[in-house]
PDB file of all heavy atoms in Angstrom:
ATOM      1  N   ILE A 316      87.762  73.517 -82.687  1.00 98.00           N
ATOM      2  CA  ILE A 316      86.776  74.612 -82.464  1.00 98.00           C
ATOM      3  C   ILE A 316      87.087  74.957 -81.055  1.00 98.00           C
ATOM      4  O   ILE A 316      87.196  74.204 -80.044  1.00 98.00           O
ATOM      5  CB  ILE A 316      85.370  74.116 -82.738  1.00 98.00           C
ATOM      6  CG1 ILE A 316      84.408  75.323 -82.555  1.00 98.00           C
ATOM      7  CG2 ILE A 316      84.956  72.927 -81.844  1.00 98.00           C
ATOM      8  CD1 ILE A 316      84.584  76.293 -83.592  1.00 98.00           C
ATOM      9  N   GLU A 317      87.061  76.263 -80.699  1.00 98.00           N
ATOM     10  CA  GLU A 317      87.189  76.852 -79.435  1.00 98.00           C
ATOM     11  C   GLU A 317      86.137  77.968 -79.117  1.00 98.00           C
ATOM     12  O   GLU A 317      85.584  78.665 -80.107  1.00 98.00           O
ATOM     13  CB  GLU A 317      88.629  77.420 -79.213  1.00 98.00           C
ATOM     14  CG  GLU A 317      89.782  76.487 -79.369  1.00 98.00           C
ATOM     15  CD  GLU A 317      91.103  77.025 -79.194  1.00 98.00           C
ATOM     16  OE1 GLU A 317      91.138  78.298 -78.771  1.00 98.00           O
ATOM     17  OE2 GLU A 317      92.127  76.385 -79.228  1.00 98.00           O
ATOM     18  N   ARG A 318      85.959  78.163 -77.945  1.00 98.00           N
ATOM     19  CA  ARG A 318      85.062  79.272 -77.593  1.00 98.00           C
ATOM     20  C   ARG A 318      85.864  80.543 -77.630  1.00 98.00           C
ATOM     21  O   ARG A 318      86.932  80.694 -77.291  1.00 98.00           O
ATOM     22  CB  ARG A 318      84.453  79.178 -76.201  1.00 98.00           C
ATOM     23  CG  ARG A 318      83.543  80.348 -75.673  1.00 98.00           C
ATOM     24  CD  ARG A 318      82.742  79.985 -74.452  1.00 98.00           C
ATOM     25  NE  ARG A 318      83.502  79.476 -73.446  1.00 98.00           N
ATOM     26  CZ  ARG A 318      84.094  80.243 -72.455  1.00 98.00           C
ATOM     27  NH1 ARG A 318      83.841  81.596 -72.482  1.00 98.00           N
ATOM     28  NH2 ARG A 318      84.746  79.806 -71.560  1.00 98.00           N
ATOM     29  N   LEU A 319      85.256  81.701 -78.211  1.00 98.00           N
ATOM     30  CA  LEU A 319      85.723  82.983 -78.376  1.00 98.00           C
ATOM     31  C   LEU A 319      85.658  83.712 -77.049  1.00 98.00           C
ATOM     32  O   LEU A 319      84.608  83.880 -76.524  1.00 98.00           O
ATOM     33  CB  LEU A 319      85.157  83.732 -79.417  1.00 98.00           C
ATOM     34  CG  LEU A 319      85.875  85.131 -79.679  1.00 98.00           C
ATOM     35  CD1 LEU A 319      87.182  85.002 -80.276  1.00 98.00           C
ATOM     36  CD2 LEU A 319      84.894  85.901 -80.757  1.00 98.00           C
ATOM     37  N   LYS A 320      86.873  83.962 -76.387  1.00 97.00           N
ATOM     38  CA  LYS A 320      86.899  84.614 -75.089  1.00 97.00           C
ATOM     39  C   LYS A 320      87.080  86.101 -75.197  1.00 97.00           C
ATOM     40  O   LYS A 320      86.816  86.785 -74.169  1.00 97.00           O
ATOM     41  CB  LYS A 320      87.829  83.861 -74.198  1.00 97.00           C
ATOM     42  CG  LYS A 320      87.527  82.373 -74.070  1.00 97.00           C
ATOM     43  CD  LYS A 320      88.603  81.594 -73.336  1.00 97.00           C
ATOM     44  CE  LYS A 320      88.307  80.118 -73.221  1.00 97.00           C
ATOM     45  NZ  LYS A 320      89.406  79.336 -72.564  1.00 97.00           N
ATOM     46  N   VAL A 321      87.826  86.447 -76.234  1.00 96.00           N
ATOM     47  CA  VAL A 321      88.384  87.877 -76.296  1.00 96.00           C
ATOM     48  C   VAL A 321      88.021  88.473 -77.749  1.00 96.00           C
ATOM     49  O   VAL A 321      88.334  87.618 -78.670  1.00 96.00           O
ATOM     50  CB  VAL A 321      89.881  88.122 -75.967  1.00 96.00           C
ATOM     51  CG1 VAL A 321      90.280  89.566 -76.229  1.00 96.00           C
ATOM     52  CG2 VAL A 321      90.097  87.645 -74.623  1.00 96.00           C
ATOM     53  N   PHE A 322      87.487  89.552 -77.887  1.00 97.00           N
ATOM     54  CA  PHE A 322      87.233  90.132 -79.259  1.00 97.00           C
ATOM     55  C   PHE A 322      87.769  91.408 -79.379  1.00 97.00           C
ATOM     56  O   PHE A 322      87.536  92.326 -78.443  1.00 97.00           O
ATOM     57  CB  PHE A 322      85.817  90.145 -79.619  1.00 97.00           C
ATOM     58  CG  PHE A 322      85.518  90.622 -80.993  1.00 97.00           C
ATOM     59  CD1 PHE A 322      85.503  89.780 -82.067  1.00 97.00           C
ATOM     60  CD2 PHE A 322      85.344  91.918 -81.294  1.00 97.00           C
ATOM     61  CE1 PHE A 322      85.285  90.160 -83.329  1.00 97.00           C
ATOM     62  CE2 PHE A 322      85.062  92.438 -82.611  1.00 97.00           C
ATOM     63  CZ  PHE A 322      85.065  91.456 -83.673  1.00 97.00           C
ATOM     64  N   PRO A 323      88.561  91.831 -80.230  1.00 97.00           N
ATOM     65  CA  PRO A 323      89.043  90.904 -81.321  1.00 97.00           C
ATOM     66  C   PRO A 323      90.068  89.859 -80.803  1.00 97.00           C
ATOM     67  O   PRO A 323      90.848  90.312 -79.786  1.00 97.00           O
ATOM     68  CB  PRO A 323      89.746  91.833 -82.384  1.00 97.00           C
ATOM     69  CG  PRO A 323      89.326  93.208 -82.027  1.00 97.00           C
ATOM     70  CD  PRO A 323      89.075  93.194 -80.508  1.00 97.00           C
ATOM     71  N   PRO A 324      90.227  88.824 -81.439  1.00 97.00           N
ATOM     72  CA  PRO A 324      91.181  87.776 -80.951  1.00 97.00           C
ATOM     73  C   PRO A 324      92.716  88.359 -81.213  1.00 97.00           C
ATOM     74  O   PRO A 324      92.930  89.234 -81.976  1.00 97.00           O
ATOM     75  CB  PRO A 324      91.011  86.617 -81.825  1.00 97.00           C
ATOM     76  CG  PRO A 324      90.399  87.056 -83.107  1.00 97.00           C
ATOM     77  CD  PRO A 324      89.491  88.196 -82.603  1.00 97.00           C
ATOM     78  N   VAL A 325      93.617  87.926 -80.358  1.00 96.00           N
ATOM     79  CA  VAL A 325      94.944  88.403 -80.464  1.00 96.00           C
ATOM     80  C   VAL A 325      95.934  87.366 -80.667  1.00 96.00           C
ATOM     81  O   VAL A 325      95.787  86.286 -79.982  1.00 96.00           O
ATOM     82  CB  VAL A 325      95.229  89.092 -78.977  1.00 96.00           C
ATOM     83  CG1 VAL A 325      96.679  89.703 -79.057  1.00 96.00           C
ATOM     84  CG2 VAL A 325      94.316  90.227 -78.770  1.00 96.00           C
TER      85      VAL A 325
END
Side-chain angles (χ1 to χ4, degrees):
I316 187 71
E317 298 182 2
R318 180 165 56 87
L319 182 65
K320 301 172 184 177
V321 176
F322 185 88
V325 179

